Amino acid sequence: MKVRHIVLGLLSISVIAPIFLYTDRVATFVNPSSSRRDFLDDVGAFMVSGDNTRHLNVLQHQEYSTLKEPIGVVYSDQSTDSSPKATVTREHKSARVLSATNEERQQQLSNPIKQVVDRAPRNLTTTLDSHPNASDISAVKLEQQPTQRARKINRTERSDNKHDRKTEPADVQVRRLKDQLIRAKVYLSLPSIKNNPQVTRELRQRVKEVTRALGDATKDTDLPKMAVAKMKLTEESLEKAKQVQDDCAAVVKKLRAMLHSSEEQLRVHKKQTMFLTQLTAKTLPKGLHCLPLRLTTEYYTLNSSQQNFPNQQKLEDPRLYHYALFSDNILAAAVVVNSTVAHAKHPSNHVFHIVTDRLNYAAMRMWFLGNPPGKATIQVQNIEEFTWLNASYSPVLKQLGSPSMIDYYFRARRANSDQNLKFRNPKYLSILNHLRFYLPEIFPKLNKVLFLDDDIVVQRDLTGLWSLDLKGNVNGAVETCGEIFQRFDRYLNFSNPLISKNFNPHACGWGYGMNIFDLDEWRRQNITEVYHRWQRLNRDRQLWKLGTLPPGLITFWKRTYSLDKSWHVLGLGYNPNVNQREIEEAAVIHYNGNLKPWLEIAIPKYKNYWEKYIDFDVMYLRECNINP
């Protein structure tokens, strides 16, 4: 009952006191000193139950322009001593508490008077005075405050824990189990554990159980239900082993040996991955092997009149837009043609010159006869028809047919093989890959031609390239200076004086695959002979080894006009991080690299750009089981 009276009195003072304080502030304009003194005397003591006097410790009012809230003093519910000594003791205790914490937070959490006043409605005094059990209500409110605050904190903690669980990695338990396996294997290899049969037997049993529980799991949802139980048992066994093994140096030595072994295994696996990737890139998928066979059979069932393409009179018209495409991949060539025509403003003005080998000649013709590219003109030629292209005229053709070159590309002896497997790709033996250096001979009546690789996709009208002023240069190409490996010294052997004296190792490379060539300038500067001269100097492969880009860099040195990079974006055949915006805005995207879009090893997010230009409902594709 005493506590209730105390609380009721304190509540009354906490509500009534601001009224007096406000009145006092107004009165100070008339008699400041007397008003303040009278107020302090009034609130210095008050009566509860008529006989017990309680003293409030009120701080001396400071004369500021605005009234500050008094520092609250917290009283113990069990304190009944009203003597001055007890009052002073309580003041010291409260001061220590307030000085150790933030003042505002301490007042909110430790001062029940302020809590009740803050939470009570403005007419709390009237409500409490009029209620028959006013003291009981106030006591209940004081008792409920900590409970409600605790519930709020618990709800916040549960919410935070739930958020933490959502942000946890999906393989926490999988990684923990793998960590336990490593620790168990380390302990099993130590002499002190081996000398303890019981611990050894238990650890081996745990290793089997954890290995069985892990299986092929990559995330926690793949684990069986008993995985958590096995994890706990394994942890207990590891603790036992830890107590037996006290030689930290032996553990460190074993971990170092395991690290070294893991690094060596990683190196071997990387080498194997590179080899298998190269092998996959060089291997023709079953569907693409079936397609030319099916098309060839169909082609030879046609009569001679059905084997001809329309509009052949446009093939030598220099006023039209001519494309050169050298490929033995029917589906890839179809995508290049289809994507170009799809974005051409006037398809009837576009002429495609496709050159392929003897094996795919009939199949290539049959494809475009059965799937004509709208109003565009198609020409398909057999490289065997270029009788002028022989070993006596072309040094590279002579080199490609030499026994040493064939042995270099096809030998199976690993001891003497190059570290970089891409140098040993047999595709470089194909003369189709080197036809780009003979464009004036292939198109003697044309002024300009746009060369396209068969692993590109066109996304914009390309007719603007024919109207570009190349400023006396032969080759128009996009420079590739974004990375260090795209400089000249990454392709050419600058330790050879022939290279170091003639070229800058830090010069920018440029991309083959979408190049506009001025054939008139080519002929005037006799570029083909420049190419032949350097090929003769490189007969022992001491100047460069890789494909057609290095001789291209040499042949068109200081003869290349830099195009805006939006014309040609490269890297979709090896780089999974090509800028998405650059891809979307590019006129041509290029799948240079081993991860071609028609292979299963292609980068998935880039495949759609290529596949959308293929009609998979074509009969030949269905019969060869070629699907998106």
Side-chain angles (χ1 to χ4, degrees):
M1 183 62 70
K2 290 182 180 181
V3 174
R4 294 176 181 173
H5 286 301
I6 292 173
V7 172
L8 179 60
L10 293 178
L11 284 172
S12 301
I13 291 301
S14 65
V15 175
I16 298 172
I19 300 175
F20 282 101
L21 288 173
Y22 180 78
T23 306
D24 177 64
R25 293 302 295 170
V26 175
T28 54
F29 290 101
V30 180
N31 189 357
S33 59
S34 61
S35 299
R36 185 184 308 106
R37 188 180 304 108
D38 293 340
F39 173 74
L40 295 176
D41 291 339
D42 290 339
V43 300
F46 65 96
M47 300 297 294
V48 180
S49 299
D51 55 347
N52 293 329
T53 302
R54 299 301 180 198
H55 293 271
L56 289 176
N57 299 308
V58 182
L59 296 179
Q60 181 65 30
H61 179 70
Q62 300 179 8
E63 295 194 30
Y64 292 115
S65 58
T66 58
L67 180 65
K68 286 190 174 182
E69 181 182 358
I71 299 176
V73 181
V74 181
Y75 294 97
S76 172
D77 291 341
Q78 296 179 356
S79 299
T80 56
D81 190 358
S82 60
S83 65
K85 183 177 180 180
T87 304
V88 173
T89 302
R90 287 194 298 270
E91 288 177 354
H92 285 295
K93 290 181 178 179
S94 176
R96 286 196 298 271
V97 172
L98 292 174
S99 62
T101 59
N102 179 273
E103 182 176 337
E104 292 183 7
R105 182 169 180 80
Q106 184 61 33
Q107 290 176 359
Q108 293 174 0
L109 298 179
S110 302
N111 194 340
I113 299 175
K114 184 171 177 60
Q115 291 178 9
V116 175
V117 172
D118 289 344
R119 294 174 178 270
R122 294 182 179 179
N123 59 349
L124 176 64
T125 306
T126 306
T127 304
L128 291 176
D129 290 342
S130 61
H131 199 282
N133 297 321
S135 58
D136 294 339
I137 293 175
S138 61
V140 169
K141 281 185 172 291
L142 285 175
E143 291 173 359
Q144 288 180 346
Q145 289 297 323
T147 304
Q148 293 174 355
R149 183 173 297 275
R151 289 175 180 173
K152 184 177 181 180
I153 293 173
N154 289 337
R155 284 196 300 268
T156 303
E157 290 177 352
R158 285 196 298 269
S159 177
D160 292 343
N161 292 337
K162 185 177 181 180
H163 176 72
D164 292 341
R165 287 194 297 270
K166 288 182 179 179
T167 57
E168 284 182 351
D171 60 344
V172 173
Q173 293 182 358
V174 171
R175 286 187 291 176
R176 186 176 175 186
L177 286 169
K178 290 180 178 179
D179 180 68
Q180 288 181 337
L181 274 179
I182 295 173
R183 290 162 59 194
K185 290 177 181 178
V186 170
Y187 283 131
L188 285 171
S189 65
L190 300 177
S192 57
I193 300 297
K194 291 180 179 179
N195 295 331
N196 192 320
Q198 182 179 355
V199 175
T200 300
R201 187 165 48 253
E202 185 174 342
L203 280 178
R204 287 177 178 172
Q205 180 63 27
R206 298 292 177 254
V207 168
K208 291 180 181 178
E209 293 174 354
V210 171
T211 303
R212 192 179 300 111
L214 267 174
D216 297 327
T218 57
K219 52 184 182 293
D220 294 349
T221 53
D222 298 336
L223 295 173
K225 295 181 180 179
M226 55 83 174
V228 176
K230 299 299 181 185
M231 187 187 303
K232 293 179 180 179
L233 292 174
T234 306
E235 195 63 37
E236 294 174 0
S237 300
L238 289 172
E239 285 298 322
K240 295 179 182 178
K242 184 178 179 181
Q243 295 175 3
V244 174
Q245 169 60 35
D246 57 356
D247 188 358
C248 294
V251 177
V252 171
K253 183 178 180 181
K254 180 61 180 179
L255 288 173
R256 285 179 177 173
M258 292 178 66
L259 178 61
H260 177 74
S261 176
S262 299
E263 289 176 345
E264 182 62 22
Q265 290 180 13
L266 179 62
R267 187 189 66 80
V268 172
H269 287 314
K270 282 184 176 180
K271 189 173 181 180
Q272 291 177 346
T273 300
M274 182 181 295
F275 173 78
L276 292 175
T277 302
Q278 292 285 343
L279 181 62
T280 304
K282 290 181 276 187
T283 302
L284 189 67
K286 183 178 179 180
L288 295 184
H289 178 70
C290 164
L291 182 61
L293 295 177
R294 181 71 181 85
L295 289 168
T296 299
T297 303
E298 192 73 18
Y299 178 77
Y300 287 113
T301 62
L302 302 177
N303 56 51
S304 58
S305 61
Q306 294 175 319
Q307 294 177 351
N308 297 323
F309 290 101
N311 303 320
Q312 294 300 288
Q313 71 279 3
K314 295 183 178 181
L315 297 180
E316 297 180 348
D317 188 347
R319 297 171 298 177
L320 303 179
Y321 306 113
H322 294 267
Y323 300 85
L325 176 60
F326 310 138
S327 174
D328 58 359
N329 188 325
I330 297 167
L331 210 56
V335 169
V336 174
V337 174
N338 291 343
S339 62
T340 305
V341 173
H343 296 92
K345 294 180 180 179
H346 304 287
S348 60
N349 294 332
H350 294 258
V351 182
F352 295 88
H353 303 270
I354 302 174
V355 181
T356 187
D357 55 18
R358 179 174 54 185
L359 183 64
N360 294 282
Y361 173 71
M364 190 76 75
R365 291 182 67 89
M366 186 63 214
W367 174 268
F368 287 105
L369 286 170
N371 303 277
K375 296 180 180 180
T377 301
I378 289 288
Q379 180 190 29
V380 178
Q381 294 176 279
N382 183 356
I383 195 173
E384 302 290 339
E385 298 173 359
F386 301 154
T387 56
W388 50 267
L389 187 60
N390 49 57
S392 61
Y393 174 68
S394 172
V396 69
L397 198 62
K398 183 179 181 179
Q399 293 171 17
L400 292 178
S402 66
S404 61
M405 185 70 73
I406 295 175
D407 180 64
Y408 172 75
Y409 282 112
F410 289 100
R411 69 170 179 250
R413 298 190 299 274
R414 294 176 178 265
N416 300 322
S417 62
D418 291 300
Q419 293 181 356
N420 197 334
L421 293 175
K422 67 181 180 180
F423 294 153
R424 297 170 50 80
N425 195 329
K427 74 176 184 179
Y428 301 127
L429 284 173
S430 173
I431 190 60
L432 284 174
N433 205 41
H434 298 267
L435 274 184
R436 63 195 69 189
F437 294 102
Y438 298 100
L439 292 174
E441 288 81 0
I442 299 173
F443 309 111
K445 296 185 179 181
L446 299 182
N447 301 325
K448 282 187 177 181
V449 66
L450 182 63
F451 170 77
L452 297 177
D453 263 342
D454 64 356
D455 55 352
I456 64 100
V457 172
V458 178
Q459 301 186 130
R460 209 168 71 206
D461 181 60
L462 302 179
T463 55
L465 291 169
W466 276 266
S467 60
L468 285 177
D469 181 8
L470 299 183
K471 302 185 183 303
N473 292 290
V474 179
N475 174 29
V478 171
E479 289 185 340
T480 54
C481 296
E483 303 291 343
I484 297 176
F485 71 87
Q486 294 168 333
R487 307 284 179 170
F488 266 47
D489 60 347
R490 301 299 294 178
Y491 298 99
L492 305 177
N493 179 17
F494 276 86
S495 63
N496 191 298
L498 281 175
I499 297 296
S500 59
K501 289 179 181 179
N502 290 281
F503 306 100
N504 179 4
H506 303 295
C508 288
W510 42 266
Y512 245 137
M514 198 284 299
N515 308 79
I516 184 71
F517 287 106
D518 188 332
L519 300 185
D520 290 336
E521 279 294 326
W522 187 311
R523 298 183 187 100
R524 189 181 68 81
Q525 299 183 32
N526 199 9
I527 297 300
T528 304
E529 181 54 35
V530 174
Y531 169 69
H532 283 172
R533 180 166 59 86
W534 281 104
Q535 282 288 1
R536 284 191 289 265
L537 292 173
N538 191 48
R539 58 182 176 271
D540 54 358
R541 300 184 305 280
Q542 295 302 308
L543 304 184
W544 71 84
K545 291 183 179 179
L546 175 62
T548 54
L549 181 56
L553 297 177
I554 288 178
T555 302
F556 299 105
W557 168 249
K558 295 185 178 180
R559 299 181 179 94
T560 299
Y561 176 80
S562 179
L563 301 178
D564 185 271
K565 65 178 183 179
S566 65
W567 280 109
H568 187 193
V569 170
L570 300 96
L572 278 71
Y574 69 88
N575 182 10
N577 300 313
V578 180
N579 186 282
Q580 189 66 29
R581 184 175 179 181
E582 292 181 359
I583 294 176
E584 299 292 342
E585 296 177 353
V588 171
I589 55 175
H590 195 169
Y591 293 84
N592 57 310
N594 286 325
L595 311 181
K596 302 299 184 185
W598 54 83
L599 299 176
E600 292 185 1
I601 59 174
I603 300 174
K605 64 179 180 179
Y606 299 150
K607 291 192 70 171
N608 182 61
Y609 296 106
W610 187 82
E611 290 179 343
K612 65 182 178 180
Y613 294 104
I614 301 175
D615 183 5
F616 289 98
D617 291 330
V618 172
M619 176 184 63
Y620 306 117
L621 299 185
R622 293 200 311 268
E623 291 177 352
C624 292
N625 198 27
I626 298 177
N627 303 302

